[in-house]
Amino acid sequence: MYLSSVLATSLLVALAHGYGAPGACSGACNIHDPSLIQRESDGTYFRFSTGNRISYATASSIEGPWTPVGSILPDGSSINLPGNDDLWPRELTVNFEPQAPDAQIVSGVYHVYYTVSTFGTQNSAIGLATSDTMNEGTWTDHGSTGIRSDSSKPYNAIDANLFNDNGNYLMSFGSFWQNIFQAPMNSAATSVASASYNIAFDPAGTHAVEGPYLYRYGDYYYLFYSVGICCGYDGSMPAPGEEYKIKVCRSSSATGDFVDANGVACTNGGGTVVLESHDNVYGPGGQGVFTDPDLGPVLYYHYVDTNVGYADGQKLFGWNVIDFSSGWPVV
């Protein structure tokens, strides 16, 4: 009965907002917390994800077919924190923090930022691995970027996202606690350069805000993030509307003053919904934005297909083309 009511609510939301169905995916499509990038030399798509010490796959297009490659850190991370030899299991449990890698290119070198943490604690650090080609076996672990947290901090140092603001590198990160922070990085984007500051916070409830992704389109910087309960749906379904969804705020600056479509500050609970449960799509989140050479801006994420199953290991890779014509992202 309860599950039926959740699905009914999702259907009503879909009818009201008219979200598009996820784009096609073939090959290895079971995934959690994806990150997309293209190799400059040949245009190959690379998709990194949580699990298996940062697993990754390749394809000739965003639709696939996605072919698994392996792990970027087969021996685990050099960061000396609990969780450094697992980097999150394929089936997410209460033992390890389920968070995403972030793939970027910096001065011709491919960077993947990752998190070492344990679930539900602030004992966390953001690390970095690099490669010139992204081929299997070519990754070098550089350990911590210097962005770390413990119980003395107002944030949790997970869910990294690097943004290049005209040659100035900014790292956005955070989950729960006081939500999303940002810190300037050095010129090589390998280590933190100065203190972090808050850019998004929901003062209500459990502060279930995480997974920032900063993207520039036109005159605005768009801060995408996930809100709600991410995981464990097969064990305990959230109340309707409390499952994962994707929100956004925007600003004319990359470093703050983000507001939603109603003008509410992102640091005071603001946030406009971009994508939420609809039709057979449930709990979309763990998102990023990718500029596809043929499709333009694309929102990508993981989601539960209610026709398949609710387990974390059954989550699927989803994507939708973004329409920015209104000044706000619509999918």
Side-chain angles (χ1 to χ4, degrees), residues 1 20-21 32 52 71 121 144 160 177 184 191 207 224 228 253 270 275 306 330:
M1 181 69 71
H32 198 102
N52 194 32
S71 305
T121 78
S144 176
W177 279 271
S191 64
H207 319 303
F224 295 81
S253 167
L275 183 63
T306 59
V330 175

Side-chain angles (χ1 to χ4, degrees), residues 206-224:
T206 60
H207 319 303
V209 174
E210 60 188 7
Y213 197 97
L214 193 57
Y215 184 80
R216 185 171 186 178
Y217 189 86
D219 295 329
Y220 290 103
Y221 299 85
Y222 293 86
L223 179 65
F224 295 81

Side-chain angles (χ1 to χ4, degrees), residues 215 217 289-292 295-299 320-324:
Y215 184 80
Y217 189 86
V289 181
F290 173 73
T291 305
D292 189 274
L295 301 171
V298 170
L299 178 73
N320 296 76
V321 173
I322 302 175
D323 180 359
F324 278 104

